[in-house]
């Protein structure tokens, strides 16, 4: 029954118990709406037919409502509306009160990506990993304009406001992958600001988090990590990462494979890039450096010529560090290193 | 006695407001006649409706395929902004109150004109000025903020928002002046015999609308100015990077814009109340309930703005309060719907074009209203907020109500305004296409919203594809319907058969004068001994006047 109605109404997967409860109310609302509307329309159609004009000289009686009519007209809808509210409001209140044992994740929206940070641990772009069956509290903020964190499968949405933290929470019930949208218009690539929620089996998640916590570069092949050999982060690479953030490279280039304003950096090194001119070029150190200094020279097919030049802005060792950083990016969805959030005091728990 | 048939031999009133005192362009542009001003508003608003409709079609074509279809993301973002701005500020807010309201309110009150004819003309020119300023901004760059101008996006974007904000600011003055004029006119210029319980329902609704216009519009004006100032000079009002508060804007904005929805819907209800009575030839079921619920909507409308902010970090308490208050608007609307339906009971229903639009209106209002209460149900709104569900909901309400009523009014009062009839057969064809096309456009959007597609999306994941194609197909049918309506109305302007003063045998006071009306409305001030919606046998003993001469004191 649930599944039938859900499909009829085009509702997405229900990834949590909360989603099922909200959908329950949804069905109730849609059914009462349809029945009431059908009642009004059936009455109206009956009147159209029964009382259609028979002659141009028809006269009609004056019909005045009795008090009881008006009471019904007001009372009936009011009763239904209040019932909806009585079910919906506690659901909403629940969504506003994360359980005490919830795990925290900091979420930051910025044009046009989602950044997730685990306290004291790793952070990642556009991929949010959470354990199944455990409550997760999201502390959400924004770097620039208002965004809105939205996971349809969870029926959860919360605005990301610059200069403020808002919160919401959920507890996904089984492993799976779900879309994360930005629901508040935020400019050019608003509709491309799509992330992924990866719900992992709890043990796997713990292992993954532990690995990440040690500050490693993550796995090489993108599969979630268990007992990977630890490769200490080199200082040059760290420096490159810092510079890439500082210089705004990461505004347009993702480091996890998602498509952005510019080509992703993951696996870029030694990749064969097709150019707009029809030629192609191997992305070696020379190409990478040249792309920073004279971006208009070789535009990669499918992208716009929007990148500014870094000629004179980057000293040679800095450019080299960024190249080293790019070389180190081999498919992992998660970066290591200390969390960069939160910037503000976290919201105290109730 | 039964209604008289003298009007079956139509007479075109030789001296009317269209040809007297003069016909030249100047005599129109400098006129202080409320009827001519009303017609100018109607023409301008219809042109903007066509412009906004063109943008809408481009939007729908772009969304035909998941990726880019006919334009790039920046163009799309500007386009939906312009579509919203043009439709809301240039079409929906002025169309019925400033257009039909101007034409009809004095006629319905037995008055010679509105209280302040010069302010009335000024209101029209402010409207044109605002439109020109806004259009200037659109042509030179255009804004990409959505018609909601949310900060800090709108205060940091590089596009030209300032002229558009100023345009909307100027339009606000037009709205305020018109509202003021109607309030004073209704209070002071009612003909003898029109007590408050005989004020036509159209005027009641316009009166309620006017109250909203003069109370809420200044807030929008201030807010838009603040945004313009922050955008131009970088003051930290809304942008947190400069110490401002981004949510403050949303409170200000919706404090106006939510009541503004009722600026659009109440006039639509005004039209519908008249159409229902005229085409079912019945007195309205529950005059007081219908009249006072307009005031109720106007009042409660001021306390619901917070339902746009459920996911903005608002407290659960606030959300609860705004949720419940929003439901009261639903109740007042429900009262009207039930009363209109009950009016049909034992009526004599003529299924003419205006009535067809009434049927469409009823359907859209019921679904738009019900989905409105559904989104006021806080936990459901969390999922729907800023998705296509909301787009479908507000189109059901705003297009469903305003556009249906606008089209109903256009047909119902076409003979009053022009003295000619439109072709009834084509009228019904147009109405059916518009209503069906509209359903095919927006019902898929409800489902898209359920599925989770956010609004203002230039491209979308493939799973949303099929429903988007359905919506675009529906929009084409809708557009074709509207073109048909436009074509036959333009033809009827010149070649339509002469209508006579009261082709519908309506009892509305505005039909008690010639069609088109005399320049001074009535030769003598009429005196009324009956209500405006009375069709029962007793009041019919005194049949509506049908000669081109106005009704005299009886
Ligand atoms: C052919 C008929 C129409 C179609 C196909 C259409 C379609 C659309 C679409 C696709 C959007 C963009 C939704 C989004 O991405 O957020 C939109 C927005 C909007 N439409 Fe329409 N529309 C039509 C008629 C109208 C009319 C007649 C009005 C008003 C009288 C109207 C008022 C609006 C408003 C206020 C918005 C919101 C703009 C915004 O989000 O900034 N539309 N419409
Ligand atoms: Cu965003």
């Amino acid at each position: 029954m649930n599944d039938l109605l859900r499909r009829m109404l085009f509702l997405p997967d229900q990834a949590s118990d909360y989603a099922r409860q909200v959908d329950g109310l949804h069905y109730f609302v849609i059914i009462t709406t349809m029945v009431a509307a059908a009642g009004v329309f059936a009455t109206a159609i009956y009147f159209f037919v029964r009382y259609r004009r028979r002659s141009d000289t028809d006269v009609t009686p004056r019909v005045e409502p009795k008090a009881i009519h008006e009471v019904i007209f007001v009372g009936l809808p009011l009763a239904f509306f209040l019932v909806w509210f009585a079910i919906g409001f506690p659901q909403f209140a629940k969504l506003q009160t994360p359980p005490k044992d919830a795990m925290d994740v900091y979420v930051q929206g910025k044009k046009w990506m989602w950044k997730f940070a685990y306290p004291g641990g790793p952070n990642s772009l556009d991929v949010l990993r959470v354990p199944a069956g455990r409550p997760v509290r999201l502390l959400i903020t924004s770097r620039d304009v208002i965004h809105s964190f939205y996971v349809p499968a969870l029926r959860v949405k919360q605005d990301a406001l610059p200069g403020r933290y808002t919160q919401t929470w959920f507890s996904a019930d089984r492993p799976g992958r779900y879309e994360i949208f930005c629901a508040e218009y935020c400019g050019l690539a608003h509709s491309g600001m799509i992330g992924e929620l990866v719900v992992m089996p709890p043990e796997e998640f713990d292992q993954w988090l532990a690995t990440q916590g040690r500050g490693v570069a993550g796995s090489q092949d993108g599969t979630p990590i268990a007992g990977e050999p630890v490769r200490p982060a080199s200082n040059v690479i760290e420096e490159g990462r810092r510079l890439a953030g500082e210089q705004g490279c990461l505004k347009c280039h993702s480091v996890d494979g998602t498509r952005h304003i510019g080509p992703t950096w993951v696996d870029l090194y030694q990749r064969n890039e097709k150019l707009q001119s029809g030629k192609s070029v191997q992305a070696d150190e020379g190409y990478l450096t040249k792309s920073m200094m004279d971006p208009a020279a070789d535009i990669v097919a499918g992208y716009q010529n929007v990148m500014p030049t870094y000629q004179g802005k980057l000293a040679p060792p800095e450019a080299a560090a960024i190249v080293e950083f790019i070389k180190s990016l081999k498919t992992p969805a998660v970066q290591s290193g200390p969390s960069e959030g939160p910037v503000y005091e976290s919201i105290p728990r109730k | 006695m039964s209604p008289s048939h003298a009007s079956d031999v139509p007479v075109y009133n030789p001296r009317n407001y269209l040809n007297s005192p003069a016909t030249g362009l100047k005599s129109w542009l400098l006129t202080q006649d409320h009827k001519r001003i009303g017609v100018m508003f109607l023409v301008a608003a219809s042109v903007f409706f066509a412009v906004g409709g063109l943008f809408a079609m481009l939007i729908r074509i772009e969304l035909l395929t998941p990726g880019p279809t006919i334009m790039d993301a920046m163009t799309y973002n500007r386009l939906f902004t312009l579509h919203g701005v043009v439709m809301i500020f240039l079409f929906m807010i002025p169309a019925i109150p400033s257009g039909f309201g101007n034409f009809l309110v004095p006629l319905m009150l037995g008055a010679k004109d509105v209280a302040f004819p010069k302010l009335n003309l000024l209101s029209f020119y402010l409207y044109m000025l605002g439109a020109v300023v806004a259009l200037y901004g659109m042509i030179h760059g255009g804004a990409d903020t959505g018609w909601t101008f949310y900060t800090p996006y709108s205060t940091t974007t590089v596009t030209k928002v300032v002229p558009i904000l100023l345009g909307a600011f100027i339009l606000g003055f037009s709205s305020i002046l018109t509202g003021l004029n109607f309030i004073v006119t209704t209070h002071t210029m009612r003909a003898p015999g029109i007590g408050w319980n005989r004020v036509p329902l159209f005027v009641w609704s316009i009166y309620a609308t006017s109250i909203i216009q003069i109370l809420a519009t200044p807030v929008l004006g201030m807010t838009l100015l603040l945004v313009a100032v922050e955008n131009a000079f970088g003051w930290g009002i809304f942008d947190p990077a400069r110490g401002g508060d981004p949510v403050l804007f949303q409170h200000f904005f919706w404090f106006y814009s939510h009541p503004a929805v009722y600026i659009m819907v109440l006039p639509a209800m005004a039209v519908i109340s008249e159409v229902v009575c005229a085409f079912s030839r019945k007195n309205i079921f529950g005059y007081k309930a219908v009249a006072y619920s307009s005031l109720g909507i106007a009042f409660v409308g001021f306390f619901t703005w917070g339902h746009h902010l459920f996911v903005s970090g608002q407290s659960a308490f606030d959300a609860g309060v705004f949720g419940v208050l929003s439901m009261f608007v639903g109740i007042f609307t429900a009262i009207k719907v039930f009363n209109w339906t009950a009016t049909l009971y034992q009526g004599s229903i003529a299924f003419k074009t205006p009535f067809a639009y009434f049927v469409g209106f009823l359907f859209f209002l019921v679904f738009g209203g019900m989905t409105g209460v559904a989104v006021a149900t806080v936990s459901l709104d969390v999922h729907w907020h800023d998705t296509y569900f909301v787009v479908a909901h507000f189109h059901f309400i705003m297009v469903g109500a305003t556009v249906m009523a606008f089209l109903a009014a256009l047909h119902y009062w076409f003979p009053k305004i022009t003295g000619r009839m439109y072709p009834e057969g084509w009228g019904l064809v147009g109405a059916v296409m518009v209503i069906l096309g509209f359903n095919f456009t927006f019902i898929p959007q409800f489902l898209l919203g359920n599925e989770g597609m956010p609004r203002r999306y230039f491209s979308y994941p493939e799973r949303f594809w099929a429903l988007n194609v359905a919506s675009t197909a529906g929009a084409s049918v809708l557009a074709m319907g509207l073109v048909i309506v436009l074509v036959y109305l333009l033809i009827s302007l010149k070649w339509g058969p002469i209508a006579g003063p009261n082709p519908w045998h309506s009892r509305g006071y505005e039909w008690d004068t010639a069609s088109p009306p005399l320049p001074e409305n009535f030769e003598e001030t009429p005196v009324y001994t009956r209500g405006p919606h009375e069709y029962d046998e007793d009041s019919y003993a005194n049949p509506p006047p049908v000669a081109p001469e106005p009704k005299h004191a009886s």
Side-chain angles (χ1 to χ4, degrees), chain B residues 49 52-53 56-57 59-60 63 76 80-81 83-85 87-88 91-92 145-148 388 391 394-395 398-399 402-403 438 441-442 445 454-457 471 475 478-479 482:
Chain B
F49 181 50
M57 258 347 271
I59 292 175
R60 278 309 336 157
L63 294 178
Y76 178 85
F80 77 70
T81 303
H83 167 71
V85 170
M87 284 297 193
I88 300 266
F91 171 67
M92 298 224 288
T145 57
W147 78 279
T148 47
Y388 264 80
V391 175
F394 71 67
H395 277 87
M398 300 198 308
V399 186
T402 313
V403 177
F438 181 82
T441 310
F442 292 104
Q445 295 189 10
R455 66 195 282 205
R456 297 170 174 177
Y457 257 32
S471 181
L478 172 54
L482 288 171

Side-chain angles (χ1 to χ4, degrees), chain A residues 112 146-148 182 184 186 190 193:
Chain A
W112 288 278
I146 299 177
H147 302 273
S148 192
C182 172
E184 182 64 60
C186 57
H190 167 56
M193 191 167 157

Side-chain angles (χ1 to χ4, degrees), chain A residues 8-10 34, chain B residues 363-364 367 371 388-389 391-393 395-396 435-450 467-468 470-471 474-475:
Chain A
M8 274 170 57
L9 295 173
F10 285 76
M34 291 294 172
Chain B
F363 183 82
F364 298 139
F367 275 103
T371 49
Y388 264 80
F389 190 93
V391 175
H393 153 68
H395 277 87
F396 256 67
I435 293 168
L436 287 185
F438 181 82
N439 275 303
F440 280 121
T441 310
F442 292 104
I443 288 175
Q445 295 189 10
F446 277 122
L447 301 174
L448 278 173
N450 274 353
L467 287 169
N468 271 299
S471 181

Side-chain angles (χ1 to χ4, degrees), chain A:
Chain A
M1 185 65 181
N2 171 37
D3 220 45
L4 178 72
L5 283 170
R6 187 174 71 73
R7 276 164 205 281
M8 274 170 57
L9 295 173
F10 285 76
L11 287 162
D13 280 346
Q14 297 159 329
S16 68
D17 200 42
Y18 176 78
R20 269 183 295 278
Q21 291 170 17
V22 170
D23 285 0
L25 176 59
H26 188 157
Y27 306 145
F28 176 58
V29 166
I30 206 92
I31 289 167
T32 40
T33 307
M34 291 294 172
V35 170
V40 173
F41 298 140
T43 315
I45 290 170
Y46 172 75
F47 288 166
F48 299 157
V49 178
R50 171 75 182 72
Y51 300 112
R52 68 184 179 281
R53 186 164 301 177
R54 284 159 212 276
S55 85
D56 231 14
T57 51
D58 281 356
V59 259
T60 54
R62 170 190 288 264
V63 187
E64 285 293 343
K66 300 196 188 65
I68 181 76
H69 292 131
E70 301 294 0
V71 170
I72 294 175
F73 289 176
V74 175
L76 212 62
L78 185 63
F80 274 110
F81 295 169
L82 289 180
V83 171
W84 296 356
F85 180 79
I87 302 171
F89 183 66
Q91 290 179 343
F92 182 78
K94 184 170 150 193
L95 193 65
Q96 299 285 309
T97 5
K100 282 208 165 48
D101 59 343
M103 167 190 138
D104 281 346
V105 180
Y106 293 94
V107 180
Q108 192 182 53
K110 58 182 174 182
K111 290 176 186 170
W112 288 278
M113 61 194 85
W114 292 107
K115 190 167 150 186
F116 303 100
Y118 301 79
N123 55 81
S124 64
L125 278 182
D126 286 338
V127 181
L128 170 61
R129 290 172 190 273
V130 298
R134 284 191 212 152
V136 178
R137 176 170 80 148
L138 301 176
L139 294 148
I140 305 171
T141 188
S142 160
R143 172 77 67 86
D144 37 42
V145 300
I146 299 177
H147 302 273
S148 192
F149 179 88
Y150 177 32
V151 186
L154 295 169
R155 313 290 187 266
V156 163
K157 182 182 292 131
Q158 184 66 52
D159 282 357
L161 303 169
R164 266 197 214 180
Y165 270 95
T166 54
Q167 64 171 7
T168 190
W169 75 282
F170 64 91
S171 169
D173 49 23
R174 68 204 124 74
R177 291 167 174 265
Y178 309 96
E179 275 158 335
I180 299 170
F181 290 128
C182 172
E184 182 64 60
Y185 175 72
C186 57
L188 190 63
H190 167 56
S191 60
M193 191 167 157
I194 296 181
E196 192 179 29
L197 170 71
V198 182
V199 182
M200 300 165 82
E203 321 75 57
E204 248 177 61
F205 176 83
D206 289 341
Q207 265 169 355
W208 172 81
L209 194 65
T211 330
Q212 296 301 315
R214 274 180 280 149
V216 299
S219 78
Q220 300 289 314
D221 60 358
T223 47
I225 308 73
E228 289 275 324
V230 179
R231 184 164 60 84
S234 109
N235 287 333
V236 182
I237 292 173
E238 279 310 318
E239 177 68 4
R241 178 200 313 284
R242 193 184 63 72
L243 282 163
E246 200 177 275
Q247 296 289 336
C249 314
L250 298 182
K251 273 193 198 147
C252 299
H253 298 279
S254 77
V255 293
D256 67 340
T258 39
R259 207 187 137 93
H260 256 297
I261 314 291
T264 182
W265 283 357
V266 177
D267 299 324
L268 172 58
Y269 183 57
Q270 299 299 19
R271 185 161 70 198
N272 247 327
E273 289 285 76
K274 271 213 163 51
L275 299 181
Q276 221 165 37
S277 56
K279 287 185 236 149
S280 60
V281 58
Q282 183 150 55
D284 54 12
E285 285 87 345
Y287 167 79
L288 293 178
T289 319
K290 183 170 166 221
S291 296
M292 287 181 232
M293 300 312 160
D294 186 8
D298 301 316
I299 305 291
V300 181
Y303 292 90
Q304 309 280 318
N305 177 14
V306 291
M307 179 169 160
T309 171
Y310 286 86
Q311 184 83 52
K313 284 197 228 160
L314 288 174
E318 292 177 325
I322 294 178
V323 170
E324 283 308 312
F325 171 53
I326 294 173
K327 283 164 72 177
S328 77
L329 291 166
K330 294 269 181 233
T331 316
V334 173
Q335 310 168 39
S336 61
S339 163
E340 285 169 36
V343 188
Y344 301 93
E345 294 285 344
S346 55
I347 297 168
R349 246 173 244 208
K350 300 217 169 78

